Amino acid sequence: MCTAYELGKRGGSFPAPVTESAFAEILAIADTRIIRPTHTAPVVLPDGTAQPMHWGFRRAFAAKTKGRPAVWRTIVNSREDKLRSPTWRESFATRRCLIPAAAFYEWVEIGGRKAPLRFASPDGGWLWLAGIWEENPETGPCFSMITTEPNATLAPVHDRMPAVLDPPRIQPFLSGELQTFGPSPAPLEYAETENFLKPKSKPK
């Protein structure tokens, strides 16, 4: 399950739906920024404009112990096979968005330790991930990343992957025409990278 992606890169082509003001806003993030659940990041709406949103839908779950208050959780990913469920159905039908990413991360165990793998386009271009969004009365607009079956690159690493949209599928997705995803045909490559979740040691 993808719980981190990256922003902060210069250049690269943008698909036709993205307006000049939107890609200027995205390119304004010059330094590498790791986006994690509850962080705020720009997403692109069907009209081509960019809007900052929190990553993750807030949902209340019944407490395991009777009499205790509900437990609130942040759900950052929406599985393709669950998009018709009550949690995602309305947003998938009426509120779609593109999530721009320089790269995304998946975690694996290497030699008894957890390590992040950084997935990116081989040509260094932007990745455009399918997303949905909703308005939260407390935090404002928030988005969720759609995940689907892994392609050949992801399959050895994880049983899900973000729905990476290749250019021909971007406009059909935003218009609501595209209803299924499947393994992404967009080319990807990956490499192990520094564990950005590990606290950095203080200089002596």
Coordinates of all heavy atoms in Angstrom, one line a residue, residues 43 53-57 75-79 83 87-88 91 95 97 99 129-134 142-147 173:
V43 N -3.5 18.8 -5.8 CA -4.1 17.8 -6.8 C -4.7 18.6 -7.9 O -5.0 19.8 -7.7 CB -5.1 16.9 -6.1 CG1 -4.4 16.1 -5.0 CG2 -6.3 17.7 -5.6
M53 N -4.9 19.9 -0.9 CA -5.8 19.1 -0.2 C -5.0 18.2 0.8 O -3.8 18.0 0.6 CB -6.6 18.2 -1.1 CG -7.6 18.9 -2.0 SD -8.7 17.6 -2.8 CE -9.5 18.7 -4.0
H54 N -5.7 17.8 1.9 CA -5.1 16.8 2.8 C -5.2 15.4 2.2 O -6.2 15.1 1.6 CB -5.8 16.9 4.1 CG -5.7 18.2 4.9 ND1 -4.6 18.5 5.6 CD2 -6.5 19.2 4.9 CE1 -4.7 19.7 6.1 NE2 -5.9 20.2 5.7
W55 N -4.1 14.6 2.5 CA -4.1 13.3 2.0 C -4.8 12.4 3.0 O -4.3 12.2 4.1 CB -2.7 12.8 1.7 CG -2.7 11.4 1.0 CD1 -3.7 10.7 0.5 CD2 -1.5 10.6 0.8 NE1 -3.3 9.5 -0.1 CE2 -2.0 9.4 0.1 CE3 -0.2 10.7 1.1 CZ2 -1.1 8.4 -0.2 CZ3 0.7 9.7 0.8 CH2 0.2 8.5 0.1
G56 N -6.0 11.8 2.6 CA -6.6 10.9 3.4 C -8.1 11.3 3.8 O -8.3 12.4 4.1
F57 N -9.0 10.3 3.6 CA -10.4 10.5 4.1 C -10.5 10.1 5.5 O -9.9 9.1 6.0 CB -11.3 9.6 3.3 CG -11.6 10.1 1.9 CD1 -10.8 11.0 1.2 CD2 -12.7 9.5 1.2 CE1 -11.1 11.4 -0.1 CE2 -13.0 9.9 -0.1 CZ -12.2 10.8 -0.8
I75 N -7.9 7.2 5.9 CA -7.8 6.2 4.9 C -7.2 6.9 3.6 O -7.8 7.7 3.0 CB -9.2 5.6 4.5 CG1 -9.8 5.0 5.8 CG2 -9.0 4.5 3.5 CD1 -11.2 4.5 5.6
V76 N -6.0 6.5 3.3 CA -5.3 7.2 2.2 C -5.4 6.6 0.8 O -5.2 7.3 -0.2 CB -3.8 7.4 2.6 CG1 -3.6 8.2 3.8 CG2 -3.1 6.0 2.7
N77 N -5.8 5.3 0.8 CA -5.9 4.6 -0.5 C -7.3 4.1 -0.7 O -7.9 3.6 0.3 CB -4.8 3.5 -0.6 CG -3.4 4.0 -0.6 OD1 -3.2 5.1 -1.2 ND2 -2.5 3.3 0.0
S78 N -7.8 4.1 -1.9 CA -9.1 3.5 -2.2 C -8.8 2.4 -3.3 O -8.4 2.7 -4.4 CB -10.0 4.6 -2.7 OG -9.4 5.5 -3.6
R79 N -9.1 1.2 -2.9 CA -8.9 0.0 -3.8 C -9.9 0.1 -5.0 O -11.1 0.4 -4.8 CB -9.1 -1.3 -3.1 CG -8.0 -1.6 -2.0 CD -8.4 -2.8 -1.3 NE -8.6 -4.0 -2.1 CZ -7.8 -5.0 -2.2 NH1 -6.7 -5.0 -1.4 NH2 -8.0 -6.0 -3.0
L83 N -14.4 0.6 -5.1 CA -14.8 1.9 -5.4 C -16.3 2.1 -5.5 O -16.8 3.2 -5.4 CB -14.2 2.4 -6.8 CG -12.7 2.6 -6.8 CD1 -12.2 2.9 -8.2 CD2 -12.4 3.9 -5.9
T87 N -18.1 4.0 1.0 CA -17.0 4.9 1.4 C -16.5 5.7 0.2 O -16.2 6.9 0.3 CB -15.8 4.1 2.0 OG1 -16.2 3.4 3.1 CG2 -14.6 5.0 2.3
W88 N -16.5 5.1 -1.0 CA -15.8 5.7 -2.1 C -16.8 6.1 -3.3 O -16.4 6.8 -4.2 CB -14.7 4.8 -2.7 CG -13.8 4.2 -1.7 CD1 -13.7 2.9 -1.4 CD2 -12.9 4.9 -0.9 NE1 -12.8 2.7 -0.4 CE2 -12.3 3.9 -0.1 CE3 -12.6 6.2 -0.7 CZ2 -11.3 4.2 0.9 CZ3 -11.6 6.5 0.3 CH2 -11.0 5.5 1.0
S91 N -17.6 9.9 -4.4 CA -16.4 10.6 -4.8 C -16.0 10.1 -6.2 O -15.6 10.8 -7.1 CB -15.3 10.5 -3.8 OG -15.6 11.2 -2.6
R95 N -16.3 13.2 -8.1 CA -15.2 14.1 -7.6 C -13.8 13.3 -7.9 O -13.3 12.7 -7.0 CB -15.3 14.4 -6.1 CG -16.5 15.3 -5.8 CD -16.5 15.8 -4.4 NE -16.6 14.6 -3.5 CZ -17.8 14.1 -3.1 NH1 -18.9 14.6 -3.5 NH2 -17.8 13.1 -2.2
C97 N -9.7 13.4 -9.4 CA -8.6 14.3 -9.4 C -7.3 13.6 -9.9 O -7.3 12.4 -9.8 CB -8.4 15.0 -8.1 SG -7.9 13.9 -6.7
I99 N -3.3 13.2 -9.1 CA -2.3 13.4 -8.1 C -0.9 13.5 -8.8 O -0.4 12.4 -9.3 CB -2.3 12.3 -7.0 CG1 -3.7 12.2 -6.4 CG2 -1.2 12.6 -6.0 CD1 -3.8 10.9 -5.6
L129 N -1.2 10.1 -11.0 CA -1.9 9.1 -10.3 C -3.4 9.4 -10.1 O -3.8 10.6 -9.9 CB -1.3 8.9 -8.9 CG 0.2 8.9 -8.8 CD1 0.6 8.7 -7.3 CD2 0.8 7.8 -9.7
A130 N -4.3 8.4 -10.3 CA -5.7 8.6 -10.2 C -6.1 8.8 -8.8 O -5.6 8.1 -7.9 CB -6.4 7.4 -10.8
G131 N -7.0 9.8 -8.5 CA -7.4 10.1 -7.2 C -8.9 10.5 -7.1 O -9.5 10.8 -8.2
I132 N -9.4 10.5 -6.0 CA -10.8 11.0 -5.7 C -10.7 11.9 -4.5 O -9.7 11.9 -3.7 CB -11.8 9.9 -5.5 CG1 -11.3 9.0 -4.3 CG2 -12.0 9.1 -6.7 CD1 -12.3 7.9 -4.0
W133 N -11.7 12.8 -4.3 CA -11.6 13.7 -3.2 C -13.0 14.0 -2.6 O -14.0 13.6 -3.2 CB -11.0 15.0 -3.6 CG -11.8 15.9 -4.6 CD1 -11.9 15.7 -5.9 CD2 -12.6 17.0 -4.3 NE1 -12.7 16.7 -6.5 CE2 -13.2 17.5 -5.5 CE3 -12.9 17.6 -3.1 CZ2 -14.0 18.6 -5.5 CZ3 -13.8 18.8 -3.1 CH2 -14.3 19.2 -4.3
E134 N -13.0 14.6 -1.4 CA -14.3 15.0 -0.8 C -14.0 16.2 0.1 O -12.8 16.5 0.4 CB -14.8 13.8 0.0 CG -14.0 13.4 1.3 CD -14.7 12.4 2.1 OE1 -15.7 11.8 1.6 OE2 -14.2 12.1 3.2
C142 N -10.1 16.9 1.0 CA -9.1 15.8 1.2 C -9.2 14.8 0.1 O -10.2 14.7 -0.6 CB -9.2 15.1 2.6 SG -10.9 14.5 2.9
F143 N -8.1 14.1 -0.2 CA -8.0 13.2 -1.4 C -7.6 11.8 -1.0 O -7.0 11.6 0.1 CB -7.2 13.8 -2.5 CG -5.7 13.8 -2.2 CD1 -4.9 12.7 -2.6 CD2 -5.1 14.9 -1.5 CE1 -3.5 12.7 -2.3 CE2 -3.7 14.9 -1.3 CZ -2.9 13.8 -1.6
S144 N -7.9 10.9 -1.8 CA -7.5 9.5 -1.6 C -6.9 9.0 -2.9 O -7.4 9.4 -4.0 CB -8.7 8.6 -1.2 OG -8.3 7.3 -1.1
M145 N -5.9 8.2 -2.9 CA -5.2 7.6 -4.1 C -5.8 6.3 -4.4 O -6.0 5.4 -3.6 CB -3.7 7.4 -3.8 CG -2.9 7.0 -4.9 SD -1.1 6.7 -4.4 CE -0.6 8.3 -4.0
I146 N -6.2 6.1 -5.7 CA -6.8 4.9 -6.2 C -5.6 3.9 -6.4 O -4.6 4.2 -7.0 CB -7.6 5.1 -7.5 CG1 -8.8 6.0 -7.2 CG2 -8.0 3.7 -8.0 CD1 -9.6 6.3 -8.4
T147 N -5.8 2.7 -5.9 CA -4.8 1.6 -6.1 C -5.5 0.5 -6.9 O -6.7 0.3 -6.9 CB -4.3 1.1 -4.8 OG1 -5.3 0.5 -4.0 CG2 -3.6 2.2 -3.9
F173 N -10.3 9.5 -17.6 CA -10.5 9.3 -16.2 C -11.2 10.6 -15.6 O -12.1 10.5 -14.8 CB -9.2 9.1 -15.5 CG -9.2 9.2 -14.0 CD1 -9.9 8.3 -13.3 CD2 -8.7 10.3 -13.4 CE1 -10.0 8.4 -11.9 CE2 -8.8 10.5 -12.0 CZ -9.4 9.5 -11.3

